[in-house]
Amino acid sequence: LIAIFTVEYVLRLWCCVEDPAYEASIAGRIKWMRLPLSIVDLVSILPFYLDIIWSDDGPSSPNSSYVLRTIRLLRIITVLRLERPLKALNI
């Protein structure tokens, strides 16, 4: 699941310069990354990778930081954000 969200985030970051509001290459991507939903997406996937980097036992180690576990709850927001488009498509 994290891999899917990571790929989606990277692809949206890569393609955001196609939108006229973000057409400057680097500045446009930074502008896009500062959007509230982009920040939520980044914060929801970042703890997984931070946990891998900081933990000696891997991502599911019981020694994981309490802060990282708390931030992981933001993934729920990302999943719930998908609910609205799916209702619009009657899926």
Side-chain angles (χ1 to χ4, degrees):
L1 194 60
I2 293 298
I4 294 170
F5 285 129
T6 303
V7 169
E8 183 224 2
Y9 184 82
V10 169
L11 288 176
R12 285 190 295 128
L13 178 63
W14 182 262
C15 296
C16 73
V17 294
E18 297 298 322
D19 186 346
Y22 311 107
E23 63 186 343
S25 179
I26 294 173
R29 286 186 173 103
I30 292 172
K31 185 178 176 183
W32 179 84
M33 288 176 69
R34 293 183 359 200
L35 292 173
L37 289 178
S38 298
I39 292 170
V40 168
D41 288 345
L42 181 63
V43 170
S44 69
I45 62 174
L46 196 58
F48 176 79
Y49 296 107
L50 290 177
D51 197 22
I52 290 174
I53 292 169
W54 289 342
S55 177
D56 294 335
D57 300 328
S60 61
S61 169
N63 298 327
S64 299
S65 169
Y66 177 73
V67 174
L68 291 176
R69 289 180 187 176
T70 304
I71 293 174
R72 284 184 193 143
L73 292 175
L74 288 175
R75 289 186 196 146
I76 295 171
I77 295 172
T78 306
V79 172
L80 292 176
R81 207 181 92 214
L82 294 174
E83 182 179 346
R84 189 175 14 153
L86 292 178
K87 283 183 180 179
L89 294 173
N90 292 325
I91 294 178

